[in-house]
Amino acid sequence: MTKLRTGGRILVDNLLAQGCERIFTVPGESFLAVLDALHDVPEIDLVVCRQEGGVAYMAEADGKMTGRPGIAFVTRGPGATNAAVGVHVAFQDSTPMILFVGDVARGDRDREGFQEVDFAAMFRPLAKWAARIDDAARIPEYVARAYSTAIGGRPGPVVLALPEDMLRDKVQAADRPKVYPPVQPACAMATTTLMGLLKDAAAPVAIVGGAGWDKGAAHHFAEFAERIGLPVAAAFRRQDAVPNSSPVYAGNLGYGPNPKLVQRIREADLLLVVGPRLGEATTDGYTLLTPDHPDQILVHVHPDPNELGRVYRTDLPICADMREFAELAAAWEADEIVPFSAGAEAHREWLEWSNPQRRDTALDLGLVVQHMRETLPADTIICNGAGNFSGWWHRYWRYHTLPCQLAPTNGSMGYGVPAAVAAALRFPERQVVAVAGDGDFLMNGQELATAVQQGANLIVLVIDNGSYGTIRMHQEREYPERLSGTSLTNPDFAALARAFGGWAETVERTEDFAGALERARADRGVRLLHLKTDVEFISSATTIGKIRERARR
C-alpha cells in the first residue's frame, strides 16, 4: 500500500521520476502545494524568474538543449497568458516543453472566479495537448502522458492545468517510470529508393535541422553528405544542425540568405529534406520551394507522419527518427553514387558570403562578429530573439557544436536573454552570448535579475539603433520616408545592467569593441556591452538609402 501524499508532492515525485532537473517559475498562490513539495527535493533546481514570458522562454530553450521537456510553472490568468508566448515558440520550433498552470479550485470553476480561464481551450491551438488534472491519484498518468506527447513524433509543448485544491488533496498514487520516445527506424526499402534517386540526380541539395535533430544526427548526416559531396543547407535558425566547418556546409535559409544558395536550391533536381517542416521562413513564403515544386523531386524525412505530405507534394516520404535515418545513411554502401563536386563548391560560396566587408559606419557589426568568431571558443552558444540585428550573426558567425544556436523560428522578440540564462545554467563551462536589439532587449531584460540571482555567467550584447529596425525596414520599403511608430527612445543600457549588479560598457566605434570584449571576458557573472549603431545600416545586406532608392524606381 502506497502512503498518502499531497497532489503537489505526487507531481514533484513524478517529475523527478521523468528525469526533471530544473523548473522555471514565477511563484503563484495557486500552486503553493508544489512549491512546498519542492522544498524537500533538492535534486530539482528551482529557477525563480521575474516574468512568465521569461519563464516560458527559458523552459523552451532548456528543452531545445536537452531533448527532454523544459518544465515551467506559472499561476492562472495573467501568469498563463504571459507564458503563452513561450508555448507558441515551442510549438513552431518543435521543442519539447511542459507548462503547468495553477488553476482555480474545482468547486469554483465556471463562475469566472479570480483569474479564471479555460486553459485547455486557451492553449489547445498552441500546444500538442492541453488538459486539466482533476484527480490527484491520476497525476502520474498525466505526467507520463505529457512527457510522452512532448517528446514523441514532432516534439512540442504540453499544457496541464492544476486546480489548487486538487494539489492539496492527500491520496494514494502509483508513480510511473521514465518514458522515452518511440524510435522509428528508417525503412531500408525507402532508403534504397533514396540512394537510387541520388545516383540519378545531377544537382541534389539537402536541407536539414528541426524536429528530433540531435548531435548523433548531425554527426552521421555530415559523414554521409561529405562522403558523396552533397551540399547541406540549414533550415531557418537551425544553423548548428551540422558544424559549419563541414566541407559541404552550404549556409542557411531564411531571411537574407546567400543569393547563390537560393539559386542552387531553385536549380536542384532533388531536394533531400531531413528534419525541417519546410515552413514559411525557410522557404521564403513558400516560393523558394513551392508546395508542388515542379521539376524537382522531394524526399522528406521527418519523425512525425502527420507532417509528411501536409503542405508539400512529397515524392518519397520517410517517417523516421533523425538519428536512426542519419546512421543508416552513413552506413549505407553507396559506392554507386559518383561523388558530387557541388558540396565543395557550395561551401566555398558560403565562406565568401560569410566573410564581412568593411562598411563606412562608426560601429560595423560585421567586423564585430568577425572579431567574436576569431576570439571566442568555437562552442560558444549564441542566443538571440527577433530583429534585423540577428542577421549579422546568422550571416557571419560560424556555428559549431550542437546546441550552439538558440533562436526562435517563430520570430518571437525578447527570447535572447532568457534563453541565455537557461544556456548558462545548463552549460556553465561554455561561453554564452545573448544578442538583443534595443526593442528586443526591453521585452525581457528584467531576466538579468534572474541571471544575477542564479550566479549565471553570460555576455549580453545590446544592439541599439533607436528603432524597431525590422519594421522600419519594411516601412521604408512600402512607405519610404514616412516614419510612423518605429522610433525608440532608449535608456542607458550599460547603466541599467550595472543597476542589476552586472558589469557593463558602452561601445560606439568598431576599434573599441575588441578591448571591451576582452574586459568582459575577464570578468564573471552578467556582462553587458551596449553597442550603439547607425540605423542607416538597417541590415547586413542593405541600407535605408538603398531601400528608398529602389522604392522610388
Side-chain angles (χ1 to χ4, degrees):
M1 182 71 68
T2 57
K3 66 178 182 179
L4 293 175
R5 291 174 290 171
T6 66
R9 184 55 196 249
I10 295 169
L11 179 55
V12 169
D13 286 347
N14 278 269
L15 288 173
L16 197 60
Q18 294 300 331
C20 174
E21 303 169 330
R22 181 166 290 129
I23 289 172
F24 301 93
T25 190
V26 169
E29 73 275 15
S30 57
F31 57 95
L32 287 175
V34 175
L35 295 174
D36 182 70
L38 286 168
H39 182 273
D40 300 323
V41 184
E43 298 93 331
I44 296 179
D45 178 25
L46 185 65
V47 180
V48 179
C49 306
R50 298 309 179 96
Q51 206 259 12
E52 292 87 358
V55 168
Y57 281 146
M58 289 185 203
E60 192 278 342
D62 204 48
K64 266 194 177 87
M65 291 183 285
T66 66
R68 297 289 291 182
I71 304 298
F73 274 81
V74 300
T75 197
R76 57 190 178 237
T81 51
N82 283 340
V85 63
V87 176
H88 187 233
V89 172
F91 191 83
Q92 292 222 321
D93 285 39
S94 303
T95 303
M97 171 185 171
I98 303 174
L99 174 68
F100 292 96
V101 182
D103 200 0
V104 298
R106 289 165 292 187
D108 295 337
R109 191 178 302 148
D110 299 328
R111 292 175 171 172
E112 198 184 341
F114 182 61
Q115 299 180 339
E116 182 182 4
V117 175
D118 183 345
F119 296 113
M122 170 185 164
F123 282 104
R124 196 166 290 123
L126 298 178
K128 289 186 72 177
W129 179 46
R132 178 189 293 110
I133 307 177
D134 283 324
D135 182 353
R138 294 184 62 188
I139 287 174
E141 172 193 341
Y142 275 87
V143 171
R145 179 178 170 185
Y147 268 81
S148 182
T149 301
I151 62 180
R154 175 189 169 191
V158 168
V159 180
L160 291 178
L162 310 168
E164 59 181 329
D165 59 327
M166 181 276 294
L167 293 173
R168 294 193 297 266
D169 285 351
K170 288 189 174 182
V171 301
Q172 294 178 341
D175 296 340
R176 293 280 183 99
K178 188 174 183 178
V179 300
Y180 296 90
V183 177
Q184 174 71 35
C187 171
M189 185 176 297
T191 306
T192 299
T193 302
L194 166 62
M195 296 303 170
L197 292 172
L198 283 168
K199 176 177 177 289
D200 294 335
V205 177
I207 304 173
V208 301
W213 199 264
D214 61 13
K215 283 186 177 180
H219 170 76
H220 292 294
F221 192 83
E223 181 183 353
F224 164 70
E226 290 167 13
R227 178 154 53 96
I228 66 171
L230 176 67
V232 179
F236 178 54
R237 289 184 168 170
R238 307 291 193 181
Q239 289 168 255
D240 58 355
V242 296
N244 296 179
S245 57
S246 169
V248 294
Y249 179 70
N252 62 293
L253 297 173
Y255 301 111
N258 184 354
K260 291 185 178 179
L261 175 58
V262 169
Q263 189 63 24
R264 187 176 294 277
I265 298 288
R266 293 192 188 283
E267 295 176 352
D269 57 350
L270 171 64
L271 291 169
L272 172 57
V273 178
V274 186
R277 293 186 302 111
L278 291 176
E280 181 180 357
T282 295
T283 62
D284 191 19
Y286 308 101
T287 62
L288 175 59
L289 173 61
T290 65
D292 291 308
H293 50 89
D295 304 319
Q296 289 182 317
I297 294 172
L298 174 63
V299 179
H300 197 177
V301 187
H302 198 276
D304 194 329
N306 293 317
E307 289 299 322
L308 297 170
R310 177 182 174 187
V311 176
Y312 287 84
R313 189 204 83 228
T314 306
D315 300 291
L316 178 60
I318 301 177
C319 184
D321 174 82
M322 296 297 95
R323 183 188 295 225
E324 289 282 322
F325 171 79
E327 284 184 354
L328 182 60
W332 200 269
E333 294 294 337
D335 295 338
E336 68 275 13
I337 300 175
V338 177
F340 302 97
S341 61
E345 293 169 0
H347 188 63
R348 284 194 297 270
E349 290 168 355
W350 171 75
L351 288 173
E352 181 181 354
W353 171 253
S354 63
N355 279 319
Q357 304 299 313
R358 181 176 292 276
R359 306 174 87 184
D360 186 19
T361 182
L363 182 54
D364 187 332
L365 288 179
L367 299 184
V368 163
V369 180
Q370 183 178 50
H371 178 76
M372 287 176 61
R373 80 185 192 200
E374 290 172 353
T375 56
L376 296 184
D379 67 349
T380 295
I381 302 174
I382 302 292
C383 312
N384 65 263
N388 272 8
F389 68 89
S390 64
W392 273 273
W393 278 263
H394 292 351
R395 178 171 176 178
Y396 299 126
W397 184 256
R398 307 281 171 84
Y399 294 89
H400 185 57
T401 304
L402 189 148
C404 67
Q405 183 182 39
L406 294 176
T409 68
N410 80 330
S412 187
M413 294 179 70
Y415 179 89
V417 170
V421 175
L425 297 178
R426 181 58 59 184
F427 295 106
E429 75 286 356
R430 290 173 63 179
Q431 177 68 69
V432 176
V433 177
V435 183
D438 43 356
D440 178 78
F441 175 80
L442 280 180
M443 291 196 174
N444 272 309
Q446 78 283 341
E447 299 306 338
L448 291 185
T450 305
V452 171
Q453 182 171 335
Q454 292 291 320
N457 289 300
L458 63 148
I459 294 174
V460 181
L461 305 182
V462 179
I463 316 304
D464 177 6
N465 63 4
S467 178
Y468 282 123
T470 304
I471 311 307
R472 170 73 183 274
M473 180 180 69
H474 293 309
Q475 189 173 63
E476 292 283 2
R477 183 180 295 122
E478 301 297 329
Y479 305 98
E481 302 182 62
R482 292 178 58 82
L483 301 188
S484 177
T486 53
S487 296
L488 298 173
T489 299
N490 287 320
D492 181 338
F493 290 109
L496 183 61
R498 287 190 285 267
F500 278 109
W503 174 97
E505 280 191 20
T506 298
V507 180
E508 300 187 50
R509 301 187 306 166
T510 305
E511 56 266 33
D512 295 333
F513 178 76
L517 181 63
E518 183 179 358
R519 289 186 289 276
R521 294 186 67 200
D523 211 319
R524 291 185 62 78
V526 171
R527 292 145 287 164
L528 184 144
L529 294 178
H530 178 190
L531 307 186
K532 292 189 174 182
T533 63
D534 185 352
V535 71
E536 168 66 18
F537 294 85
I538 198 68
S539 79
S540 64
T542 191
T543 65
I544 288 177
K546 290 179 180 177
I547 295 172
R548 289 177 174 177
E549 183 180 340
R550 283 195 294 269
R552 294 191 197 103
R553 293 175 185 169

